[in-house]
Amino acid sequence: MQKMAEAEAIYAELSRELTGEAAAEARMLLADLYFAQNHHDKAATAYASVVEEFPDSPLVANAQLKLGKSLFGIGDYLRAADVLSRLAENEQLSGDAGFWQGASLKS
């Protein structure tokens, strides 16, 4: 648990201090850390910030997918379905996104 707290502090600091793609990567790592710990509310906030603050980053599609899964994890099914619907045209992520969108719409 101590190492997770240390990693969280480091990623949070890096995401504030770095700029551009490096900042997006640090924010994504922070979000992934939250997600891995089932802190879906914090993960959703961090993934949403990647999407909003770094719209040209190649990480945006993965951040959208994980944002949708995080929203599902906190029971915000309508927002999850909406976010995931934006990945319908993404060849790599559309299958996973479609599955979670369907699960969100059924919940």
Side-chain angles (χ1 to χ4, degrees), residues 2 7 14 21 24 26 30 39 41 43 45 55 69-70 72 76 79-80 101:
Q2 177 67 22
L14 287 173
E21 193 58 29
L30 179 62
H39 295 301
D41 53 340
T45 300
K69 290 180 177 182
S70 296
F72 184 91
D76 193 345
R79 273 187 58 210
Q101 181 184 15

Side-chain angles (χ1 to χ4, degrees), residues 65 84 87-101:
L65 176 64
L84 293 163
L87 296 171
E89 302 299 319
N90 185 302
E91 289 183 26
Q92 293 178 327
L93 303 177
S94 62
D96 198 11
F99 171 82
W100 286 101
Q101 181 184 15

